[in-house]
Amino acid sequence: MNKDAVAGEKSLKGIAVYPGIVIGKAHLVDRSKVKILYQYLVNTEHLNDEVARFEEALRVVEKEMLSLKNGMAEKLNDLGFILDSHLMILKDSMLKDSTIRTILDEKINAEWALKKSLEKIREVFEQIDDEYISNRISDVENVTERILRTLSGKSQQSLSEIDKRVIIVAHDLSPADTTELNIGRVMGFITDVGGRTSHTAILAQALEIPAVVGLESATHVVADGDLLIVDGSTGVVVVNPDDSAIIYYQEKKLQLEDYRSSIARQGHLPAVTPDGQHVSITANIEFLEEVAAVRDYGGVSIGLYRTEFLYLRSKGFPEEEDLFEDYREVAELMVPEPVNIRTLDIGGDKFVSKLEISKEMNPALGLRAIRFCLKQPEIFKTQLRAILRASAFGHIRLIFPMISGLQELLEAKAILTEVQGELEREQIPYDDKMEVGIMVEIPSAVVMADVLAKHVDFFSIGTNDLIQYSLAIDRVNEYVAHMYQPFDPAIIRMIAQVVDAAGKEGIRVNICGEMAGDPLCVPILLGLGLDALSMNPRSIPLIKKIVRAMPISQARDDLEKIKELYTAEAVQQYLWERTGGMFPELREKGYL
Ligand code: PEP
Ligand code: MG
């Protein structure tokens, strides 16, 4: 009997976001609001005690938050700014002073006064005509709730206190919740809400934890301590399974793990198609520390080093010396293989709180990436100096992100030339043959690719943004996530146009968006004849496995047929049958 399809027990079906099976106890995360049952007047002689009780609660909450921050899992360090902002709210006069004033003026208890302060703040936020800022009210609510819990003697159920290996069951997990997670204790996640690109999904993927989101009623159906089976490959969650289901899923889990390790073990085999075409499979990294993973998974070089995380990590702007050390180390670790370093791409959905980037209506269309750098040439030059200096220690290539046209490219190159001149005058060595490329991720750059190709050494196609900007689908908005479609024929045509323009000018072209690591996309990308596919290191072994089984001639035939399909659904179906037909086990195990 196929337990996936007809699990006799209570079973739920949601969106699978990270393949793998876990069997364990449910830990229900209760984020229900604290009910303020008591609103009472306070005698004048006890008002100072009431203020003291409130101030003590603030101190307790502050301590809690600081210890949370210090104990935060290393992998989640980048989310520390969320706790910093909560600490600031805790001390803000709108919350603190106004509550104390209300206690004293209206002679009421601290909980009641705090609720009143929250209402006032809410009114102010509602007046603000900026969705981003007005949404920040949730941070104020979060902090208020912690104080209320402390005042009421109910401690906030902290995820950091989980001391057993459990499966988290939550309505949703906010970024603030995720900063509390004790990664070693979390076997899996399931949530009521969320889509494939929601925070929970991204977190599960980054941490390689099986997860199912969008279950709608998980927090109602599951009780704390229930035994759960979470199948992150099919999106099935079985609640209190019977013995036969447990045996079935244990067996499936073992098979899945065996399969995953067998793929990983083959990661070092070369990516050569059966008809002898060598395909360069490279890695995208965000941190220097990932270089080891690139080697473990069998990546040959770094196709994309996203440098913004170093800026997000540090308070303010990193110094040239810190950047230089980081880039030099990556270059030295990879020598003689190339490392493609992309200049700063902040803005959009990647903010650096300290940078005081003005709040924009459409951040993805705003002051992001190269636009930000051209507007802040000193910040840009510091990074370029660091990259150039590091280029003397290995094989570095430079990529400018978000280039929309020739003007921008020429401006960026002019600043690069200026920095090179400075280094020469200071007699600081750098690689004067360093190649310079651009991310092709804005539709206007695709249209102008033939012109841009004359001014760069290579193109790197960023499909994540190319899809976002071409289909007008915000890549982080879960309401339109279902329309975010790599298989859209328009996207395939655009990639083909870029490859064509690069070919005519004799420059290399690689692809480094998520599409490069999607097993279904291999026939398209091989068929198009890209020079390299750059992806998340974890995807490398599987993509190599598919490449080894797919003759380039067949991929070209597939591409011709795909070009005759005019909807994303039809393309996806074709690819599903092609790759799924070659590897039925990938389909069964939820990899496709
Ligand atoms: C892309 O846009 O495809 C890309 C690789 O860059 P990022 O995801 O960092 O925007
Ligand atoms: Mg991009």
Side-chain angles (χ1 to χ4, degrees):
M1 182 182 70
N2 180 357
K3 274 277 174 191
D4 293 336
V6 277
E9 310 70 13
K10 222 184 306 176
S11 71
L12 307 168
K13 180 89 171 73
I15 303 168
V17 291
Y18 188 75
I21 291 173
V22 281
I23 305 176
K25 293 270 182 179
H27 180 94
L28 206 62
V29 177
D30 173 20
R31 285 282 181 269
S32 57
K33 305 268 177 277
V34 183
K35 306 244 178 333
I36 304 300
L37 295 176
Y38 299 107
Q39 297 185 341
Y40 51 88
L41 295 171
V42 179
N43 280 337
T44 312
E45 69 264 28
H46 292 137
L47 282 176
N48 286 340
D49 295 342
E50 194 60 14
V51 170
R53 191 168 75 87
F54 175 63
E55 287 178 331
E56 176 55 19
L58 293 184
R59 274 191 291 277
V60 170
V61 171
E62 184 179 0
K63 247 174 90 182
E64 252 175 42
M65 286 185 180
L66 285 172
S67 83
L68 257 179
K69 193 171 170 230
N70 296 335
M72 215 158 62
E74 211 181 292
K75 284 191 173 178
L76 298 174
N77 263 342
D78 305 322
L79 301 176
F81 70 92
I82 298 169
L83 286 173
D84 285 336
S85 68
H86 285 191
L87 280 162
M88 272 158 65
I89 293 169
L90 195 64
K91 292 186 179 142
D92 195 283
S93 64
M94 288 255 280
L95 196 76
K96 183 179 171 189
D97 300 352
S98 132
T99 304
I100 294 176
R101 225 176 307 117
T102 311
I103 297 174
L104 296 173
D105 293 351
E106 300 186 25
K107 302 184 175 37
I108 59 175
N109 64 322
E111 289 89 337
W112 193 357
L114 179 60
K115 275 280 196 188
K116 286 189 167 210
S117 302
L118 177 63
E119 285 319 311
K120 275 190 237 154
I121 298 174
R122 210 194 301 274
E123 276 166 26
V124 175
F125 272 71
E126 275 165 9
Q127 309 286 316
I128 299 173
D129 192 21
D130 179 314
E131 202 185 340
Y132 179 82
I133 300 180
S134 59
N135 282 342
R136 300 275 64 80
I137 187 67
S138 63
D139 292 323
V140 184
E141 286 168 342
N142 188 308
V143 173
T144 312
E145 205 183 315
R146 271 181 191 274
I147 307 171
L148 286 173
R149 278 186 189 273
T150 309
L151 283 166
S152 68
K154 286 191 189 179
S155 62
Q156 161 92 0
Q157 190 193 10
S158 171
L159 299 182
S160 64
E161 284 160 18
I162 295 173
D163 59 356
K164 291 191 271 302
R165 303 242 317 134
V166 290
I167 295 169
I168 304 271
V169 183
H171 179 67
D172 193 12
L173 286 175
S174 70
D177 289 329
T178 56
T179 60
E180 297 184 16
L181 286 175
N182 184 340
I183 302 304
R185 303 266 183 241
V186 180
M187 300 167 75
F189 296 105
I190 62 172
T191 59
D192 293 339
V193 298
R196 222 171 281 279
T197 54
S198 65
H199 278 119
T200 322
I202 290 165
L203 184 83
Q205 285 158 9
L207 301 173
E208 304 183 40
I209 293 175
V212 177
V213 301
L215 285 157
E216 293 176 9
S217 57
T219 51
H220 295 285
V221 176
V222 179
D224 209 37
D226 274 352
L227 186 64
L228 295 182
I229 297 174
V230 176
D231 185 342
S233 310
T234 58
V236 170
V237 174
V238 189
V239 187
N240 291 325
D242 62 20
D243 289 350
S244 70
I246 296 178
I247 293 167
Y248 170 81
Y249 276 103
Q250 265 168 343
E251 180 58 28
K252 192 173 173 192
K253 178 178 159 72
L254 288 178
Q255 283 174 10
L256 211 64
E257 282 166 3
D258 274 357
Y259 189 65
R260 182 173 291 163
S261 14
S262 79
I263 295 178
R265 276 198 300 276
Q266 297 163 7
H268 291 278
L269 297 178
V272 181
T273 63
D275 44 359
Q277 172 88 23
H278 192 279
V279 182
S280 175
I281 306 285
T282 66
N284 296 349
I285 61 166
E286 276 88 40
F287 307 109
L288 163 68
E289 294 81 352
E290 286 175 284
V291 171
V294 173
R295 296 230 183 268
D296 288 351
Y297 286 112
V300 288
S301 63
I302 310 286
L304 172 67
Y305 183 14
R306 291 182 166 100
T307 56
E308 42 281 3
F309 292 89
L310 243 161
Y311 289 73
L312 296 172
R313 248 180 192 181
S314 70
K315 303 222 183 309
F317 292 101
E319 302 287 329
E320 178 185 321
E321 216 45 39
D322 296 335
L323 295 172
F324 162 66
E325 287 299 335
D326 186 275
Y327 305 154
R328 191 192 64 172
E329 210 172 325
V330 178
E332 283 181 343
L333 284 168
M334 293 308 298
V335 107
E337 300 301 337
V339 177
N340 290 272
I341 302 188
R342 185 178 72 185
T343 61
L344 192 53
D345 179 4
I346 44 170
D349 65 329
K350 299 172 214 153
F351 284 104
V352 180
S353 50
K354 273 277 160 69
L355 301 188
E356 279 309 316
I357 292 174
S358 60
K359 303 289 178 278
E360 299 170 307
M361 282 286 278
N362 290 308
L365 304 182
L367 199 58
R368 186 187 154 187
I370 199 71
R371 304 165 182 191
F372 173 82
C373 288
L374 293 177
K375 193 137 192 266
Q376 304 266 1
E378 290 314 312
I379 296 173
F380 192 31
K381 280 186 196 165
T382 304
Q383 185 180 33
L384 290 175
R385 274 182 70 96
I387 295 172
L388 282 167
R389 284 174 58 198
S391 71
F393 296 85
H395 184 176
I396 287 181
R397 296 182 189 141
L398 185 77
I399 310 181
F400 294 126
M402 288 267 296
I403 293 289
S404 65
L406 185 60
Q407 181 65 32
E408 232 165 14
L409 172 59
L410 295 180
E411 282 175 39
K413 283 181 74 174
I415 297 182
L416 179 67
T417 310
E418 201 184 313
V419 176
Q420 285 169 328
E422 265 174 40
L423 292 180
E424 264 155 44
R425 281 193 295 282
E426 294 167 38
Q427 298 188 337
I428 298 176
Y430 69 91
D431 173 10
D432 59 2
K433 307 262 173 340
M434 182 181 74
E435 289 178 293
V436 176
I438 56 168
M439 294 288 295
V440 179
E441 51 186 348
I442 297 185
S444 56
V446 174
V447 175
M448 298 302 286
D450 55 333
V451 174
L452 295 169
K454 297 187 198 312
H455 298 266
V456 290
D457 300 304
F458 63 95
F459 284 152
S460 192
I461 305 178
T463 49
N464 302 343
D465 279 311
L466 190 58
I467 296 167
Q468 152 163 281
Y469 295 125
S470 308
L471 304 182
I473 301 295
D474 182 347
R475 64 191 260 197
V476 293
N477 181 338
E478 63 189 77
Y479 299 112
V480 286
H482 59 288
M483 293 163 77
Y484 185 90
Q485 261 298 354
F487 306 108
D488 196 289
I491 302 299
I492 299 167
R493 284 189 184 191
M494 283 198 228
I495 301 174
Q497 190 179 335
V498 178
V499 173
D500 195 40
K504 288 200 177 112
E505 217 44 61
I507 64 166
R508 282 191 318 278
V509 52
N510 63 46
I511 185 160
C512 61
E514 292 300 302
M515 253 180 108
D518 183 338
L520 284 184
C521 293
V522 176
I524 302 182
L525 304 179
L526 289 191
L528 283 167
L530 285 139
D531 292 293
L533 313 182
S534 194
M535 64 201 70
N536 172 327
R538 290 186 303 277
S539 306
I540 291 174
L542 179 56
I543 298 298
K544 279 183 150 184
K545 182 182 169 79
I546 298 175
V547 166
R548 284 195 297 272
M550 184 158 301
I552 204 91
S553 53
Q554 182 199 312
R556 286 191 190 127
D557 288 349
D558 283 331
L559 184 64
E560 286 315 307
K561 293 193 185 107
I562 288 168
K563 282 182 178 165
E564 300 297 316
L565 302 172
Y566 301 118
T567 66
E569 286 74 19
V571 173
Q572 187 165 12
Q573 184 61 30
Y574 182 94
L575 291 168
W576 165 266
E577 277 160 22
R578 159 64 66 222
T579 315
M582 288 173 75
F583 297 98
E585 71 278 16
L586 287 180
R587 200 189 271 174
E588 263 163 44
K589 293 179 168 55
Y591 282 87
L592 298 183

